[in-house]
Amino acid sequence: MDSPLLQRSSSFCQACAIRNRAICADLDDGEIAILNSIGRRRMLAAGEQIMWEGEEAILVANVIEGILKLSTQTADGKEQILGLVYPADFLGRPFGQTTPYGVEALTDAHVCVFQRADFDRFAREHPRLEHKLLERTLSELDRTRRWMLLLGRMNAEQKLASFLLEMSERVGQKGCTAPGREQFELPLSRQQIADVLGLTIETVSRQLSKLRKDGLIDLPARREIVIVARDRLEELAG
Amino acid sequence: MDSPLLQRSSSFCQACAIRNRAICADLDDGEIAILNSIGRRRMLAAGEQIMWEGEEAILVANVIEGILKLSTQTADGKEQILGLVYPADFLGRPFGQTTPYGVEALTDAHVCVFQRADFDRFAREHPRLEHKLLERTLSELDRTRRWMLLLGRMNAEQKLASFLLEMSERVGQKGCTAPGREQFELPLSRQQIADVLGLTIETVSRQLSKLRKDGLIDLPARREIVIVARDRLEELAG
DNA sequence: CGTCTAGTTGAATTCCGTCAAAGCGGGTGG
DNA sequence: CCACCCGCTTTGACGGAATTCAACTAGACG
């Protein structure tokens, strides 16, 4: 189903870094051309917000580069991060009236944005795209549900261990200096880690210090993590 | 898109109680006939399990009647309920290898079961069904994410208040004796409520007693809830 | 070199979990 | 019909984990 025409077309999409991993993956050249015409690229600086909770859902997007967070807050202002979005992931709420969470870039990011109305129309006319989107949404639902177990039933130590292991899988895969995924740079501040795990910043800090003292990890810089004893970390995470 | 032929066909699906709310809703007669041929009905007794976490994903289903729970557990055996499934909801993991959670009936239930392979094939050939499934999955993801805020950032009192309000919407809609949704029967035991909210059974019991003492609710029987002061409950839930 | 923010550490407090015992209610058998 | 039993629920006492409040430290940046 995949077309071997990468070099024939000079269109934007054909040169896209995530072309083969995003939902646009098995579209043909004609379809890509349409998608190309309704989408546009946009740069985001770290900390920049692109969608606001409760606002009308105007945009959807593919993430090309960078990491973003989805978040919401309680009536009294405590934040909860609902998910992290990585390159090739889909972003936004198609077929919905309002955006159910805020979206903010954690790092400088590069996204491919569509007006939701345009995207919805295109999707309904192209079942293969909808199928991709469905598979992606089902996986995301599975991942989100796994996170519920962490939020509801794990203590602070288990939460941190699980978080570090997950981040090492997600962030540590790039061509790193370190051997494999044992060293990586966190895209989140301590407060943001706390907001992911349903903890306070102090508890996160204390647990990281404890893991370091126990020799499971090292913390060479504020946002650097070195996993020293992956096996023991996995044991903690359960 | 909906066909006005309810009385022409005598097929099973046409007589189905949830025919117009489930994902099969806007299929035409031919499509319904196929679906009818690959699905079969199954009764479940309260407490009966129909899918097991980690097992190969063989079945998917529509819920016709009753309430089921999706759940998982930590390495050390603590359970977390990941979601409740109501009539007209879709159940199971299409397009996936393994079932990521256990499924158990909370009440006696009635489901319409498909072999996943059959269903997947049918879905891929019928974009309208896939679209319905996509919309449903997106809504489910939204609801699940809202639940994450509860698990991560609410205290026991707020959790109970939110839970009771949600249940009153979901369970209190039937033709009840009570005026509106202010009285209803819980489909969950105290332990199961605890497993939904990420609490212990004792905390659930204490918070319910507190809400009763404060005059927000009444508890005429173990599984009966009367909402006395909805406004104050909503205030607590935030 | 000073300021500013993010992060760490400590002490006190609070909320929830744990352990233990008692209460309630529905079903069964005498 | 009542007594008994069993599982579910409630209540109490206690301890511990995480939050809160507060002070301090380390880098980053001008």
Side-chain angles (χ1 to χ4, degrees), chain A residues 1 23 31 70 127 130 134 151 154 165 180-182 195 201 207 219-220:
Chain A
M1 209 59 91
I23 50 169
E31 292 169 323
L70 316 180
E130 276 213 327
L134 175 58
L151 289 175
M154 286 188 183
L165 290 169
R181 57 229 156 125
E182 303 307 328
D195 293 339
I201 183 174
Q207 290 297 333
L219 303 165

Side-chain angles (χ1 to χ4, degrees), chain B residues 189-190 202 205-206 209 222:
Chain B
S189 70
R190 295 291 189 268
E202 293 96 333
S205 183
R206 269 187 264 269
S209 298
R222 289 185 167 192

Side-chain angles (χ1 to χ4, degrees), chain B residues 104-187:
Chain B
E104 182 184 318
L106 292 175
T107 65
D108 290 345
H110 204 172
V111 294
C112 176
V113 184
F114 305 90
Q115 294 292 122
R116 187 180 63 79
D118 295 341
F119 181 86
D120 285 2
R121 198 176 323 111
F122 181 83
R124 296 211 64 150
E125 289 163 4
H126 296 87
R128 261 181 317 191
L129 182 79
E130 277 214 326
H131 180 79
K132 276 275 172 200
L133 190 53
L134 175 57
E135 292 221 0
R136 215 162 252 282
T137 307
L138 286 164
S139 303
E140 186 57 35
L141 185 53
D142 288 348
R143 252 190 299 153
T144 303
R145 283 178 168 149
R146 247 177 287 129
W147 215 245
M148 290 177 76
L149 181 63
L150 176 141
L151 289 176
R153 290 303 188 195
M154 287 186 183
N155 63 29
E157 186 178 51
Q158 296 172 315
K159 285 180 178 180
L160 258 298
S162 302
F163 172 78
L164 292 176
L165 289 170
E166 163 118 3
M167 290 310 287
S168 87
E169 295 297 333
R170 285 301 203 141
V171 179
Q173 61 197 357
K174 306 243 182 130
C176 255
T177 52
R181 60 230 152 122
E182 303 307 328
Q183 175 154 11
F184 56 92
E185 190 185 330
L186 283 175

Side-chain angles (χ1 to χ4, degrees), chain A residues 185-219:
Chain A
E185 190 185 328
L186 283 175
L188 294 85
S189 70
R190 296 291 189 269
Q191 181 60 60
Q192 287 165 341
I193 297 174
D195 293 339
V196 169
L197 301 177
L199 297 170
T200 59
I201 183 174
E202 294 95 330
T203 302
V204 169
S205 184
R206 269 187 264 270
Q207 290 297 333
L208 285 177
S209 297
K210 182 163 176 299
L211 290 174
R212 182 175 45 72
K213 211 175 310 180
D214 294 350
L216 306 211
I217 62 170
D218 197 16
L219 303 165

Side-chain angles (χ1 to χ4, degrees), chain A:
Chain A
M1 209 59 91
D2 234 344
S3 88
L5 302 169
L6 280 172
Q7 57 272 56
R8 200 191 73 181
S9 165
S10 63
S11 83
F12 223 178
C13 289
Q14 295 290 13
C16 178
I18 53 147
R19 169 78 171 82
N20 296 305
R21 289 185 296 145
I23 50 169
C24 0
D26 25 82
L27 298 178
D28 64 35
D29 272 16
E31 292 169 323
I32 282 286
I34 303 174
L35 213 53
N36 208 24
S37 73
I38 64 174
R40 66 174 214 286
R41 302 223 175 173
R42 179 166 165 196
M43 304 289 300
L44 293 168
E48 196 173 342
Q49 191 144 359
I50 181 177
M51 302 182 194
W52 284 261
E53 182 175 359
E55 89 174 348
E56 215 190 329
I58 327 167
L59 299 176
V60 298
N62 274 310
V63 178
I64 297 169
E65 207 185 303
I67 304 179
L68 299 89
K69 66 166 193 182
L70 316 180
S71 68
T72 185
Q73 29 199 112
T74 55
D76 51 326
K78 280 180 289 188
E79 182 157 338
Q80 176 68 47
I81 293 182
L82 303 174
L84 299 178
V85 186
Y86 297 89
D89 284 353
F90 184 81
L91 184 58
R93 179 57 165 91
F95 312 115
Q97 283 308 301
T98 58
T99 305
Y101 40 71
V103 180
E104 183 185 318
L106 293 176
T107 64
D108 290 345
H110 205 171
V111 294
C112 177
V113 184
F114 306 90
Q115 292 295 122
R116 187 179 64 80
D118 295 340
F119 181 86
D120 285 3
R121 197 175 323 113
F122 181 83
R124 296 212 65 150
E125 288 163 5
H126 296 86
R128 262 180 317 189
L129 183 78
E130 276 213 327
H131 180 77
K132 276 275 170 197
L133 191 53
L134 175 58
E135 292 221 3
R136 214 164 252 284
T137 307
L138 286 164
S139 303
E140 185 58 34
L141 185 55
D142 287 348
R143 251 188 300 153
T144 303
R145 281 177 170 150
R146 248 177 287 130
W147 215 245
M148 290 176 74
L149 181 63
L150 176 141
L151 289 175
R153 290 303 188 194
M154 286 188 183
N155 63 27
E157 187 178 49
Q158 295 172 314
K159 285 180 177 180
L160 257 298
S162 301
F163 172 78
L164 292 175
L165 290 169
E166 163 118 2
M167 290 309 287
S168 88
E169 295 296 333
R170 285 303 202 139
V171 180
Q173 60 196 358
K174 306 243 183 128
C176 253
T177 52
R181 57 229 156 125
E182 303 307 328
Q183 174 154 14
F184 56 91
E185 190 185 328
L186 283 175
L188 294 85
S189 70
R190 296 291 189 269
Q191 181 60 60
Q192 287 165 341
I193 297 174
D195 293 339
V196 169
L197 301 177
L199 297 170
T200 59
I201 183 174
E202 294 95 330
T203 302
V204 169
S205 184
R206 269 187 264 270
Q207 290 297 333
L208 285 177
S209 297
K210 182 163 176 299
L211 290 174
R212 182 175 45 72
K213 211 175 310 180
D214 294 350
L216 306 211
I217 62 170
D218 197 16
L219 303 165
R222 287 187 167 190
R223 294 210 172 189
E224 289 272 312
I225 301 281
V226 180
I227 295 183
V228 176
R230 178 174 290 267
D231 52 342
R232 287 209 281 154
L233 214 50
E234 282 167 349
E235 198 179 335
L236 276 186

